[in-house]
Amino acid sequence: LAWRPLLTRSGNLVPFWKLLRIKMTGEAANTVTPINWAGGDPLRVWLLRNDVPATVGGASAVVDRTLQIFAMLLLIVVGTVAALIQLSLPSKIVWGLTGTVALMLTFMLLFLSLQRRGLFEKLSQVLMKFKIRKLSDGTLEKLKEVDQQVEEFYRRNPTLFWQGIGYHFIARLFGVLEIYVIGFLLQVPITGSDALFLATIIPIANLFSIIVPGAWGVQEGVVSGLFYLMHWNPADGIAL
């Protein structure tokens, strides 16, 4: 729902179910790539090649991923505030959560600023400056077109920007509900605040395990450790 308007605004009408399949394929690819949050985005663009120009597909994937991360950050902020109010957390965890939120917010604002000023053009300049890779004139032109598409979206579509964040945030809330329901089925004495706290910690753990494909073993270790600290069965944390 958040991704489709980014394409339709340019006059590229992709059937909803086809877009859903492509989105799910891209997210699945994230689990087997080192950059486990964005590794499937190039695949999404490639799968769209027969429906939209590569520059439009690339720009839409960049913006969609940005909106998704902002929604995740919003959930982390809400979860952190709720945890500080509802849960008795050690001061180290409190300061760690606060510092992580501040760091992530700063990074995302810088990332957004770079997108508005030509992210891919600047990256290509870095690649050529350090002779990491020489890009052809055609490739440079396409990267400039992607930058123009991204910049135009942020300039002309503020409503879609917040709408996209809203859609992704609702999806994150379903993740909170999933944790609560599974905890209930496992007969863990979990509350809504507990589920929100766990949904806050998991993406932070993923952030620090970005080079691990699919964050294999990371979530299990973090959640089971949190269950231990909350005097619950760590085995239930692994099951969850």
Side-chain angles (χ1 to χ4, degrees), residues 155-196:
R155 180 164 47 87
R156 295 187 178 182
N157 300 276
T159 301
L160 282 181
F161 177 84
W162 294 109
Q163 177 182 304
I165 291 178
Y167 281 135
H168 281 298
F169 185 72
I170 291 172
R172 289 282 170 178
L173 291 180
F174 275 107
V176 177
L177 179 61
E178 178 187 13
I179 291 173
Y180 179 80
V181 171
I182 294 175
F184 175 80
L185 294 175
L186 291 172
Q187 298 183 337
V188 175
I190 191 171
T191 65
S193 297
D194 296 330
L196 181 58

Side-chain angles (χ1 to χ4, degrees), residues 18-35:
K18 180 175 183 177
L19 203 62
L20 178 61
R21 290 196 301 270
I22 293 174
K23 175 73 171 179
M24 292 178 67
T25 301
E27 294 299 331
N30 286 344
T31 64
V32 293
T33 57
I35 308 177

Side-chain angles (χ1 to χ4, degrees), residues 8-223:
T8 56
R9 72 177 184 87
S10 301
N12 300 281
L13 187 60
V14 182
F16 173 80
W17 294 110
K18 180 175 183 177
L19 203 62
L20 178 61
R21 290 196 301 270
I22 293 174
K23 175 73 171 179
M24 292 178 67
T25 301
E27 294 299 331
N30 286 344
T31 64
V32 293
T33 57
I35 308 177
N36 58 47
W37 278 352
D41 289 344
L43 178 59
R44 284 202 280 165
V45 177
W46 184 79
L47 291 173
L48 276 174
R49 68 193 185 284
N50 295 326
D51 298 281
V52 300
T55 53
V56 175
S60 71
V62 170
V63 173
D64 181 54
R65 184 62 61 185
T66 302
L67 299 181
Q68 182 177 352
I69 296 175
F70 267 115
M72 180 195 67
L73 181 57
L74 177 59
L75 181 70
I76 290 174
V77 171
V78 172
T80 299
V81 172
L84 295 178
I85 296 174
Q86 299 289 335
L87 305 177
S88 299
L89 298 175
S91 59
K92 290 183 179 180
I93 294 180
V94 172
W95 283 109
L97 283 174
T98 305
T100 301
V101 169
L103 182 63
M104 292 180 65
L105 181 59
T106 301
F107 172 80
M108 284 308 301
L109 291 176
L110 289 174
F111 184 54
L112 184 62
S113 177
L114 277 174
Q115 289 184 42
R116 297 176 67 96
R117 292 185 295 168
L119 171 66
F120 290 102
E121 185 176 4
K122 293 184 183 302
L123 286 176
S124 63
Q125 290 173 354
V126 171
L127 290 175
M128 291 189 293
K129 180 178 179 180
F130 291 97
K131 298 180 179 180
I132 298 175
R133 184 172 182 180
K134 183 175 177 58
L135 302 176
S136 66
D137 292 339
T139 300
L140 290 173
E141 188 62 32
K142 286 186 178 297
L143 290 176
K144 288 181 181 180
E145 289 181 26
V146 172
D147 283 333
Q148 290 171 359
Q149 291 278 348
V150 171
E151 191 276 332
E152 181 182 1
F153 169 80
Y154 290 128
R155 180 164 47 87
R156 295 187 178 182
N157 300 276
T159 301
L160 282 181
F161 177 84
W162 294 109
Q163 177 182 304
I165 291 178
Y167 281 135
H168 281 298
F169 185 72
I170 291 172
R172 289 282 170 178
L173 291 180
F174 275 107
V176 177
L177 179 61
E178 178 187 13
I179 291 173
Y180 179 80
V181 171
I182 294 175
F184 175 80
L185 294 175
L186 291 172
Q187 298 183 337
V188 175
I190 191 171
T191 65
S193 297
D194 296 330
L196 181 58
F197 176 64
L198 291 172
T200 298
I201 293 298
I202 289 172
I204 293 177
N206 287 342
L207 175 67
F208 291 104
S209 63
I210 194 169
I211 62 172
V212 181
W216 289 340
V218 176
Q219 292 186 26
E220 292 82 355
V222 169
V223 175

